[in-house]
């Protein structure tokens, strides 16, 4: 992906830009035959100063319109989409020579940090996975490499089991992914501590950006013996790591003693049933 950022709300430049020549550098390729060298246009496409073929227009996108050199970060862009290399930006006193608007100080690198099309990190919890990609790539990765449970539907009923829960301070259960409304949602369940309190936490993350995540809501419910806890919230985007969501306590939190009470029996084994549903806000 080649991306450059616009300077938001650019203002028109009032100073006059120094006159710079526009040089079109259409280099040609030399092919040699048995008789003598013949100079011909390249049959492959445009060849610039650096000998880069541009069948798909990539070279032209990265070519500075003034000096005709390849642009390297930081690449600057005016509000109307015209780009310029850093050296030429200085030469024209920060004014776009095409439309006379302020070029601003936002570069391609800064844009990539916040671009909504930037790759997502793998949402798998419990291991440091370095895989990144778009959502279809990560869904296939979770299924094939992490062997996570995949379910279709917007309601669920899960039971989480753990022997000797008093001996476990931190634990992460297997991730579950739900296909719902044509989107994917990750259900997390973890044991950790808040201060000196031992707790379990269930929460949902959305496989997409934060803006789209806010289009959905979900509820989680645990209970037994006539008691019930219900949580309702908005799924967090996987742009936020599972540890960030957990540490923000944005989910259903159950004290360990209460979770064992809900589990029944002699409270020596965790058997906690979590039910929930996902819906789309109108």
């Amino acid at each position: 992906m080649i991306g450059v950022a616009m300077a938001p709300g650019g203002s028109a430049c009032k100073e006059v830009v120094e006159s710079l020549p526009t040089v079109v550098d259409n280099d040609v390729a030399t092919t040699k035959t048995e008789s003598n060298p013949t100079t011909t246009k390249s049959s492959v496409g445009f060849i610039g100063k650096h000998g880069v073929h541009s069948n798909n227009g990539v070279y032209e996108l990265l070519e500075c319109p003034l000096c005709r050199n390849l642009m390297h970060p930081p690449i600057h862009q005016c509000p109307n989409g015209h780009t310029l290399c850093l050296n030429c930006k200085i030469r024209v006193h920060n004014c776009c020579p095409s439309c006379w608007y302020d070029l601003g100080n936002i570069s391609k690198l800064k844009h990539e940090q916040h671009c909504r099309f930037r790759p997502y990190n793998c949402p798998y919890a419990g291991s440091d996975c370095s895989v990144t990609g778009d959502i279809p790539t990560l869904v296939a990765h979770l299924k094939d490499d992490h062997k996570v449970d995949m379910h279709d539907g917007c309601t669920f009923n899960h039971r989480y089991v753990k022997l000797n829960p008093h001996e476990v301070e931190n634990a992460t259960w297997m991730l579950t992914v739900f296909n719902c409304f044509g989107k994917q949602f990750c259900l997390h369940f973890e044991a950790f501590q808040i201060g000196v309190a031992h707790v379990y936490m269930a929460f949902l993350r959305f496989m997409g950006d934060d803006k789209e995540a806010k289009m959905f809501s979900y509820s989680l419910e645990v209970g037994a013996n006539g008691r019930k806890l219900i949580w309702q919230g908005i799924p967090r985007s996987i742009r936020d790591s599972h540890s960030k969501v957990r540490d923000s306590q944005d989910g259903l939190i159950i004290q360990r003693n209460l979770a064992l009470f809900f589990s029944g029996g002699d409270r020596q084994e965790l058997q906690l049933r979590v039910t929930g549903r996902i819906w789309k806000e109108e």
Side-chain angles (χ1 to χ4, degrees):
M1 177 187 72
I2 297 172
V4 286
M6 288 187 181
S11 57
C13 293
K14 296 181 180 179
E15 55 186 309
V16 178
V17 180
E18 65 181 86
S19 177
L20 293 173
T22 301
V23 180
V24 179
D25 185 13
N26 290 326
D27 290 350
V28 293
T30 302
T31 58
K32 188 175 182 179
T33 62
E34 292 183 0
S35 56
N36 49 35
T38 305
T39 302
T40 64
K41 287 282 186 179
S42 170
S43 60
V44 180
F46 176 85
I47 301 179
K49 284 184 177 181
H50 302 269
V52 180
H53 293 281
S54 60
N55 292 340
N56 56 6
V58 172
Y59 181 85
E60 286 90 337
L61 288 174
L62 291 177
E63 183 185 63
C64 175
L66 288 186
C67 66
R68 297 298 181 184
N69 289 321
L70 282 178
M71 294 185 289
H72 298 280
I75 299 172
H76 295 272
Q77 186 177 44
C78 77
N80 291 322
H82 306 118
T83 55
L84 213 62
C85 72
L86 178 60
N87 289 336
C88 288
K89 176 180 182 287
I90 297 172
R91 293 170 65 190
V92 299
H93 309 296
N94 204 41
C95 272
C96 176
S98 299
C99 64
W100 302 87
Y101 271 83
D102 187 353
L103 282 164
N105 292 307
I106 300 177
S107 71
K108 174 178 177 290
L109 290 179
K110 188 173 182 180
H111 166 78
E112 287 178 340
Q113 295 174 2
H114 304 284
C115 177
R116 64 184 296 263
F117 299 107
R118 69 190 186 277
Y120 292 91
N121 295 322
C122 173
Y124 189 79
S127 66
D128 295 327
C129 181
S130 60
V131 171
T132 62
D134 59 14
I135 298 304
T137 298
L138 290 183
V139 170
H141 164 68
L142 289 170
K143 181 180 180 180
D144 298 337
D145 299 329
H146 292 299
K147 310 299 181 184
V148 305
D149 293 329
M150 298 278 182
H151 297 276
D152 293 325
C154 299
T155 60
F156 47 89
N157 186 337
H158 271 44
R159 190 177 69 154
Y160 295 96
V161 178
K162 190 70 176 179
L163 296 174
N164 303 317
H166 293 282
E167 300 176 5
V168 178
E169 294 185 355
N170 295 280
T172 299
W173 276 256
M174 176 65 75
L175 181 71
T176 305
V177 175
F178 297 95
N179 298 306
C180 177
F181 297 106
K183 305 294 181 181
Q184 288 73 40
F185 300 81
C186 301
L187 178 62
H188 297 264
F189 189 76
E190 298 194 19
F192 63 105
Q193 286 183 255
I194 300 177
V196 296
H198 298 273
V199 300
Y200 297 99
M201 181 176 175
F203 57 93
L204 204 69
R205 285 199 294 161
F206 174 72
M207 295 189 69
D209 62 27
D210 184 64
K211 183 178 180 180
E212 194 172 5
K214 292 177 180 177
M215 298 170 59
F216 300 92
S217 294
Y218 74 102
S219 64
L220 297 173
E221 180 180 312
V222 295
N225 303 319
R227 281 84 170 176
K228 183 184 296 184
L229 285 178
I230 300 176
W231 161 267
Q232 180 173 321
I234 297 172
R236 294 279 287 271
S237 165
I238 60 171
R239 294 286 188 207
D240 293 334
S241 67
H242 82 281
S243 58
K244 180 178 180 179
V245 180
R246 180 198 64 198
D247 294 344
S248 70
Q249 301 177 33
D250 190 4
L252 175 65
I253 298 177
I254 313 113
Q255 296 278 346
R256 184 167 69 185
N257 287 338
L258 183 58
L260 294 177
F261 173 75
F262 286 155
S263 298
D266 57 5
R267 303 191 183 188
Q268 299 303 309
E269 180 180 8
L270 177 73
Q271 293 190 29
L272 190 66
R273 187 173 297 279
V274 177
T275 61
R277 70 183 183 96
I278 305 165
W279 66 92
K280 191 172 184 178
E281 296 291 350
E282 298 298 334

